[in-house]
Amino acid sequence: RKAVPAKAPGKDSIVKSAKKVDQQLARYQSMRDFSSTEEPSGQKAKSRKRGSSQLPFVIQKHAASHLHYDFRLGWNGVLKSWACAKGPSYYPGDRRLAVQVEDHPIEYAGFEGIIPQGQYGGGTVLIWDQGTWEPQADYIDVDAALRHGSLKFTMYGKKMKGNWTLVRMDGKTATPKKLNWLLIKEHDGFERGKEVKPITEGEPDSVVTGRDLDQIAAHEDHVLSSDKAAQSKSGDKHLPSFNRAFKPKPKLVKGAKATHASPTVPTNTPKESLPHFIPPQLASLSSTPPAAPGWLHELKLDGYRIQAVVHNEHAALFTRSGLDWTHRMKSIGADAAALPVQSAILDGEVVVLAENGTTSFADLQASFQKGSSKPLTYFVFDLLHLDGRNLRNLPLLERKNVLSNLLSKAGGSLRFSDHVEASGNAMFQKACELHAEGIISKRIDAPYKSGRSSDWLKLKCIHEQEFVIGGFTMPSKGHSGMDGVRSLLLGYYDQQKLIYAGRTGTGFNLQTHSMIRTKLEKIRQPSNPFCKLPSKACRDAIWVKPVLVAQVRFATWTADDLVRQASFQGLREDKPASQVIREMPAPKPRPRRAGVDRASHITHPIMAAKSKKRTQASGPSATHAPVRLTHADKSLDDESQLTKQQLADYYWAISSHMLPHIAGRPLSLVRCPEGSTSPCFFQKHTNHMLPPGIGSIAVPNKKTGKSEPYITLSTREALAGLAQMGVLEIHPWGSRNEDLEQPDRIIIDLDPDSAISWRVLADSAAKFRRLFKNLMLESFLKSTGGKGLHVVVPIEPKYSWNTVKQLAHAVVIEFERKNPELYLTKMSKAARKGKIYLDYLRNERGATAVAPFSPRARAGAPVSMPLRWSELKLENRPSFHVSDYETWKNRTARDPWNQLVKLKQRLSRKILEEYKIQAST
C-alpha cells in the first residue's frame, strides 16, 4: 500500500503539513532494506552495512476501532511493531501492555493521514513521536533479546528519551498469534512520578506537523491506498538516509590575535629553541596519598593526555606518545593558538564534560568515533616552555603560578587545572566522595622530568587501566542480529611477555561492537599471543595480533590475577601496546622538606560533580550475614557493583538501627532482581516464595472489606534475607500492626525541583522544625536518598489517619500561602518547576515512606539517612551509599533518630483548634 496525497486544500498551513508528511514518507522510503522484506519497491535492494546507520523508531497515535499507540522499532529492514493501548508512560511503576503485531515496512514510519474504513487498521494516524534508538550494552543481539522476551534499549526521540524495557509476558495470554509484552520506563534522569500528568495527555499532537487527530482527519491530505500503482507526488529517491546529519569539517584556523598581555616570563630560566615535543612526565600508582607536607593535589581526569605546542599564533597537539592529533581537536588548537605568547608548551588532559561536571573516557572516545557534538575541554596543569625559555627546572608551584596567569583570559575550551595544598588524604576522600576518578599528588618543589617518577603519584577511586587485546570470542550461535563480539581477551606485558588478565564482555554499545569487530577481523592470526593461558580461556577464542589497546574499568584483581567485573570503556589510540603493563601501587613517598602549605580554593568543575561511577567497595561488613543466598556475587547495582552478598551484609550490619522503624509494621518492598537500573516492582503481599522470617499481617481492605496478607518482619535474619529477593527499598506504614488505624508519626516530604539549591531546601526544612517547635513538638530529619528531605514528628497513636492527614495538610498549606513562589502542595508536575513540592499524602492509610537507612533503587544504591539538624548548615547536600558503609558507619554511634521511637508526643487540643481540625480517634 502506498500513501497517496489527496488534493491539497487551499490553506497554507494545510499545504505545509502535507509537504512535511511527504518528506517523512520519502525519508523512510530511502531507508528501506528490500533484501529483508518482500514489500515492493522501485529501488535497488541494498543491505545495511555494519554500523553504517542509526536505528529509527516511530510511535503513531492511531484512532481505529479504538484509540491506541503503535510502537515501532526499526530493525533488520522492517519495523518491529507493538500495539500499546494506553501509550508509553514515564512513570516506572506503570507496566503498559503492548501486543506484538506483524512487522511493518520501514516506509510506514513516515505515514500520517487516513486509512480508509474497511481496510486493515482503518482510521486516522498521527506521528506522535520519532527518533533513533539503540539496544543497551547487554542487549546488542536484538534478535536474541526478542526471542528470549526481554529487550532493554535507549530512545532518542522528541518525546521519548532515556532507557526503556520491553518484557514479554509468559503464561496463558501468550500465543504465537498474540504475544503480550510490557513496555516499562527504567529508572534514570528522565523518569517522572506517578502523580505527573502522562506525556500522552501533556503532548498529544504530531511531532511532524503539530496537528491533532481531528485536524488530520479533516485535512485528508494523505490517504493510505491499497493501490500498488499509487505513488507519492513528492517521493524523492535521492534524499539522504534517516537522521544522517552532515556537518562540514571545521578548518584549523589561525588563533585570534591576543588582546591581553603575555605573562611575565621568569628570567632565571635558560633560553632554548622551541622543542618540537617533550616526552611527558608520568605518575606512579600509589595506594595511599602522601602524608608529608610539600605536596599539592589535583583531580585525576578521565581523558587523553595532550601536549599543546604553540608558535606564532599557530598550535599543534600531541598525544603522550607524540602522535599529532591536531586535526582531531581543532577547537582546542585554535584556542591554544590564540594565547598571548610567541611560543609555549602546555601539558594537560582533554576530556568531555558531562552536564553534571563529570568526565568519562567512553564519552570522549565516542565524541571522536561518532562525530559527536559534545565539546572538548582541555584542562592544563603544567607549563614547560614560554617565549624562548625552558621552565621545566622551576619548582612545580612556580610553573603553575605562571600558567594560571597565562590562562586567566583564555578561550572557552582551555581551563586551568586547579589544586589544593592541604591534606592528601582529605583531598582523596573528598574526590572519591564526589566521584572523581581519583587524584594526582605532585611534589611542590620538583622540576618537570620526562618519564615515570615518584614525584607524581596517582591514586584511583576506581580500578581502571589499559590492556592489550590478544583475542576475542564470537557471539553465540543463533545471534543473527548481532555483528560484534561476545568478549575480549585481555593482557599486559611483563618482560616482553603478554600475560593473560581475563576477559571483558560488557560495556559495548551497538557502535563499539561493530567498530571493534571490524578492527579485530583485520588483525586475525592463527597463534595464541599469550605466554600462558588457562585451558578454559582458550575455549572458542579467536587470536589476534596484540596491537590494539583497550581502556577497561574493573572491580578488583582476583586471587588468580584476573580482572573481576571488567567493563570495556573504549580503545586507546594514544598508547602503543608494547607499553601496557600492570599498574602496581608504588611505595609510600619518603618525607621531604616542607613546602608551602597554603590551601587553595578548588574551582575545578569536577569537584561539584555528581557521580557517574562510584568507588568499588569491599563490602559494608566484615562479617557475612548468616542467611542463604543464591548467586551471592550477582550485582544489584552496576554503578557501585553492589552484590547480593554485600546487600545482605549491609542489612545485617545496620539492623539494630533500622529495625526499630520497620519491625512490626506492614511493609512495601521494592524488588529489583536484575539490578537498580532495571525494571523494579513493589511487593506488599506475602506469598510462598518469601525467605524465612518474613511474617504476615492481615490488613482489612476498606473498599472490599476483605483482609489482605501484608508483609511484615521483626528479626535481623529476616531483614538480611531480603537481599535474596533483590530488595533495594523498604517502605513501612506510619502505624504499627497492633494499631493499624492510628498512626504514630507525621511525615512532611520536601521534594524539590532540580533547580532548587541545597541551601534553599535546607532552610525550608529548618522552618518546618521551628513551626513544630512552636507547637511544642520535636521533629526529626532524614534524607530521602534522592534530592529531597523528610521531616518526621513522632506522636502518640491516639488519632485517626484522617486527623493526622488534615493536620499535615494544614501545615503545608500554611507554607504555600506564605510563599507560593517557592512552595506547592498539589502534585501537578507542570507547576512544580522551580518549587518545592510539600507532600503531605504520606499521612494517609496505606501510604508509606522510605525507611531510615534503607537503600534506594537508583544508580549507586544511595541510602535514606537520618541527619542531625546541624547538618542542614553543610555547604553541599549530604550523600551516603550502601557501598560507602565503612566510611560512614561511625555516625550510627550518634544516630540522631535514637530518641524518635521513644518519644510519644500528644497532639494537644490547642494544636487541633488552631488548625480547625475536628479530631477523630
Side-chain angles (χ1 to χ4, degrees):
R1 297 191 297 185
K2 298 292 180 178
V4 183
K7 185 177 180 180
K11 298 180 180 179
D12 291 342
S13 62
I14 298 177
V15 173
K16 288 180 181 178
S17 294
K19 288 183 178 179
K20 289 180 179 179
V21 177
D22 287 342
Q23 292 169 0
Q24 292 297 308
L25 289 165
R27 179 190 202 183
Y28 286 103
Q29 175 73 19
S30 69
M31 297 181 64
R32 292 283 300 280
D33 180 356
F34 296 101
S35 64
S36 301
T37 175
E38 296 179 356
E39 292 294 317
S41 172
Q43 298 183 30
K44 183 178 179 180
K46 55 183 179 181
S47 300
R48 180 170 60 89
K49 294 181 180 179
R50 179 183 298 160
S52 64
S53 63
Q54 299 183 61
L55 298 171
F57 83 84
V58 67
I59 301 176
Q60 289 161 313
K61 189 175 179 179
H62 190 173
S65 57
H66 62 279
L67 180 65
H68 65 279
Y69 293 78
D70 293 318
F71 184 86
R72 310 187 192 280
L73 301 177
W75 181 248
N76 279 348
V78 297
L79 293 171
K80 310 299 291 187
S81 300
W82 293 260
C84 187
K86 294 184 178 181
S89 170
Y90 266 100
Y91 172 51
D94 285 338
R95 276 119 174 92
R96 293 294 169 83
L97 178 65
V99 180
Q100 188 170 4
V101 298
E102 69 279 2
D103 297 344
H104 280 55
I106 282 287
E107 67 176 343
Y108 188 74
F111 177 71
E112 178 175 286
I114 299 171
I115 302 175
Q117 294 299 326
Q119 294 192 23
Y120 175 69
T124 307
V125 177
L126 170 155
I127 299 178
W128 184 77
D129 194 24
Q130 64 180 5
T132 61
W133 72 283
E134 64 180 6
Q136 293 182 30
D138 293 333
Y139 295 81
I140 301 301
D141 187 346
V142 176
D143 289 333
L146 292 173
R147 285 197 306 272
H148 296 152
S150 178
L151 174 63
K152 297 185 180 184
F153 52 97
T154 304
M155 304 182 76
Y156 307 95
K158 295 179 181 179
K159 298 176 184 178
M160 300 292 285
K161 301 179 185 297
N163 296 329
W164 299 76
T165 297
L166 275 167
V167 181
R168 189 170 60 231
M169 299 171 64
D170 295 323
K172 295 180 180 179
T173 59
T175 67
K177 294 184 178 181
K178 186 179 181 181
L179 295 176
N180 291 340
W181 297 65
L182 296 177
L183 177 63
I184 306 169
K185 181 73 187 77
E186 292 189 10
H187 292 287
D188 60 17
F190 295 102
E191 69 179 272
R192 302 178 186 179
K194 183 178 182 180
E195 72 282 359
V196 180
K197 186 177 184 180
I199 190 171
T200 50
E201 297 178 18
E203 301 182 46
D205 299 335
S206 168
V207 293
V208 175
T209 63
R211 300 181 294 180
D212 60 24
L213 287 167
D214 291 338
Q215 290 172 319
I216 293 170
H219 293 170
E220 296 184 347
D221 52 84
H222 284 79
V223 178
L224 195 67
S225 170
S226 59
D227 181 3
K228 295 183 179 181
Q231 299 293 327
S232 172
K233 293 181 179 179
S234 61
D236 186 349
K237 298 180 181 178
H238 303 290
L239 287 177
S241 295
F242 175 79
N243 223 21
R244 193 176 171 186
F246 172 79
K247 295 181 179 179
K249 295 182 179 179
K251 297 179 179 178
L252 181 58
V253 295
K254 181 180 179 182
K257 188 175 182 179
T259 57
H260 47 287
S262 174
T264 302
V265 181
T267 57
N268 59 337
T269 53
K271 295 182 179 180
E272 69 172 355
S273 300
L274 178 66
H276 172 70
F277 172 76
I278 297 172
Q281 181 163 352
L282 303 174
S284 298
L285 185 65
S286 177
S287 58
T288 56
W295 293 78
L296 61 78
H297 314 282
E298 301 168 343
L299 284 176
K300 189 177 187 305
L301 303 178
D302 200 1
Y304 280 125
R305 181 79 174 274
I306 292 296
Q307 187 173 119
V309 180
V310 183
H311 182 60
N312 291 337
E313 299 182 12
H314 289 81
L317 306 175
F318 300 97
T319 69
R320 63 182 178 181
S321 59
L323 299 176
D324 187 345
W325 276 18
T326 313
H327 63 288
R328 305 185 74 177
M329 308 175 180
K330 294 185 178 181
S331 61
I332 291 175
D335 287 338
L339 291 171
V341 297
Q342 291 298 316
S343 62
I345 297 181
L346 313 175
D347 192 3
E349 193 96 355
V350 169
V351 300
V352 168
L353 286 175
E355 292 181 2
N356 61 7
T358 58
T359 65
S360 164
F361 179 77
D363 288 344
L364 176 62
Q365 194 203 42
S367 72
F368 288 132
Q369 293 179 350
K370 302 176 189 176
S372 170
S373 59
K374 293 180 180 179
L376 302 176
T377 302
Y378 185 30
F379 282 99
V380 187
F381 47 70
D382 218 326
L383 182 61
L384 315 185
H385 171 99
L386 181 62
D387 289 344
R389 297 276 184 172
N390 177 355
L391 274 57
R392 299 184 289 286
N393 288 323
L394 291 176
L396 170 62
L397 194 60
E398 191 171 341
R399 299 197 305 271
K400 292 204 71 172
N401 287 337
V402 179
L403 175 63
S404 178
N405 292 332
L406 173 62
L407 297 178
S408 60
K409 297 182 179 179
S413 65
L414 270 57
R415 307 269 188 95
F416 176 67
S417 183
D418 215 331
H419 61 269
V420 296
E421 299 169 42
S423 164
N425 187 58
M427 173 68 173
F428 181 60
Q429 290 184 3
K430 188 65 175 178
C432 294
E433 178 183 331
L434 296 176
H435 321 310
E437 186 185 356
I439 64 171
I440 302 289
S441 298
K442 302 177 179 179
R443 293 191 187 274
I444 288 174
D445 59 351
Y448 189 95
K449 296 183 293 186
S450 297
R452 201 173 299 277
S453 79
S454 59
D455 287 341
W456 287 15
L457 300 175
K458 59 182 176 182
L459 293 96
K460 295 184 178 183
C461 298
I462 52 178
H463 293 281
E464 186 171 316
Q465 72 161 76
E466 305 96 351
F467 288 96
V468 179
I469 301 174
F472 68 99
T473 59
M474 297 283 281
S476 301
K477 292 182 179 180
H479 290 198
S480 59
M482 181 178 178
D483 194 2
V485 300
R486 183 170 61 188
S487 65
L488 300 175
L489 278 67
L490 308 173
Y492 57 88
Y493 278 102
D494 183 8
Q495 297 182 352
Q496 299 183 339
K497 294 181 179 179
L498 187 62
I499 309 299
Y500 179 65
R503 299 188 182 200
T504 177
T506 63
F508 305 102
N509 58 32
L510 191 64
Q511 287 76 23
T512 54
H513 251 302
S514 179
M515 173 274 295
I516 200 166
R517 174 69 178 278
T518 300
K519 290 181 177 290
L520 291 170
E521 290 290 349
K522 295 178 180 178
I523 57 172
R524 280 203 193 198
Q525 68 175 25
S527 59
N528 171 14
F530 297 100
C531 66
K532 292 182 179 179
L533 199 65
S535 58
K536 63 180 181 180
C538 298
R539 190 179 306 142
D540 301 327
I542 298 172
W543 310 117
V544 298
K545 297 177 182 177
V547 294
L548 292 180
V549 178
Q551 186 80 6
V552 176
R553 182 168 292 175
F554 57 101
T556 187
W557 288 94
T558 69
D560 298 327
D561 288 330
L562 303 178
V563 289
R564 180 175 178 268
Q565 297 175 346
S567 174
F568 175 79
Q569 301 296 301
L571 289 179
R572 295 217 68 121
E573 303 174 65
D574 58 333
K575 186 173 185 177
S578 59
Q579 294 183 12
V580 174
I581 61 174
R582 177 173 173 177
E583 296 185 354
M584 303 291 287
K588 287 187 178 180
R590 291 176 296 174
R592 289 176 61 174
R593 68 177 181 85
V596 183
D597 192 19
R598 301 191 309 269
S600 301
H601 176 66
I602 301 176
T603 57
H604 202 299
I606 310 301
M607 293 301 284
K610 188 178 178 183
S611 171
K612 282 193 89 173
K613 290 285 183 183
R614 291 202 54 75
T615 305
Q616 166 68 19
S618 60
S621 172
T623 303
H624 283 328
V627 295
R628 181 179 178 276
L629 300 174
T630 59
H631 307 293
D633 290 336
K634 181 178 181 178
S635 175
L636 294 177
D637 177 62
D638 291 340
E639 190 167 295
S640 65
Q641 296 297 320
L642 177 72
T643 65
K644 286 172 68 173
Q645 182 68 65
Q646 290 172 345
L647 180 62
D649 296 346
Y650 170 74
Y651 282 142
W652 183 258
I654 205 67
S655 59
S656 62
H657 299 277
M658 193 174 182
L659 279 173
H661 306 287
I662 65 173
R665 297 174 185 268
L667 302 176
S668 291
L669 310 176
V670 177
R671 297 181 57 185
C672 305
E674 298 304 321
S676 61
T677 56
S678 298
C680 302
F681 59 93
F682 270 97
Q683 180 173 345
K684 60 184 180 181
H685 296 141
T686 57
N687 58 37
H688 67 284
M689 300 296 291
L690 297 176
I694 303 295
S696 175
I697 173 68
V699 177
N701 187 308
K702 288 294 187 180
K703 294 181 179 180
T704 66
K706 296 181 179 180
S707 292
E708 300 175 357
Y710 271 64
I711 292 171
T712 190
L713 58 80
S714 58
T715 67
R716 191 181 187 187
E717 289 77 11
L719 175 59
L722 296 181
Q724 170 62 19
M725 302 162 59
V727 173
L728 285 178
E729 291 186 14
I730 302 173
H731 295 249
W733 274 37
S735 63
R736 297 185 59 81
N737 293 344
E738 61 267 22
D739 198 355
L740 290 174
E741 305 308 324
Q742 294 180 317
D744 62 357
R745 57 194 59 192
I746 303 170
I747 302 174
I748 306 296
D749 181 0
L750 285 72
D751 186 4
D753 178 68
S754 58
I756 297 294
S757 69
W758 162 249
R759 183 76 272 130
V760 171
L761 179 66
D763 290 345
S764 298
K767 290 177 181 177
F768 272 101
R769 185 194 189 196
R770 289 195 293 270
L771 180 146
F772 286 120
K773 271 189 172 292
N774 291 336
L775 298 177
M776 306 301 291
L777 296 172
E778 285 294 328
S779 56
F780 295 79
L781 178 71
K782 74 177 178 71
S783 68
T784 63
K787 59 183 183 294
L789 292 172
H790 284 173
V791 177
V792 181
V793 180
I795 59 174
E796 283 187 336
K798 290 185 60 177
Y799 297 97
S800 69
W801 283 105
N802 186 54
T803 298
V804 172
K805 179 182 175 182
Q806 286 185 65
L807 178 58
H809 190 198
V811 168
V812 299
I813 285 291
E814 181 177 324
F815 268 67
E816 183 182 39
R817 187 182 69 252
K818 291 180 178 179
N819 192 352
E821 297 301 317
L822 179 59
Y823 301 116
L824 182 74
T825 61
K826 295 182 179 179
M827 292 191 294
S828 170
K829 187 71 173 181
R832 287 169 65 177
K833 188 173 183 180
K835 295 185 179 183
I836 300 174
Y837 170 51
L838 304 178
D839 185 359
Y840 66 94
L841 296 176
R842 307 283 179 184
N843 303 283
E844 60 184 3
R845 187 182 190 274
T848 61
V850 67
F853 300 106
S854 171
R856 300 306 303 270
R858 299 172 182 176
V863 170
S864 175
M865 181 65 69
L867 302 173
R868 296 181 294 276
W869 285 105
S870 59
E871 290 180 278
L872 290 179
K873 299 179 181 179
L874 294 174
E875 183 177 348
N876 296 309
R877 185 191 316 272
S879 177
F880 307 89
H881 299 76
V882 175
S883 59
D884 299 329
Y885 176 68
E886 289 297 322
T887 67
W888 60 259
K889 69 178 181 181
N890 289 338
R891 67 182 286 123
T892 58
R894 303 180 306 279
D895 182 0
W897 277 40
N898 273 338
Q899 296 302 312
L900 185 146
V901 294
K902 304 175 184 178
L903 192 59
K904 305 298 182 183
Q905 304 178 107
R906 286 198 170 195
L907 298 181
S908 67
R909 180 179 298 178
K910 180 180 178 181
I911 293 175
L912 300 177
E913 289 177 350
E914 181 176 342
Y915 286 98
K916 300 178 181 180
I917 295 171
Q918 187 68 38
S920 59
T921 59

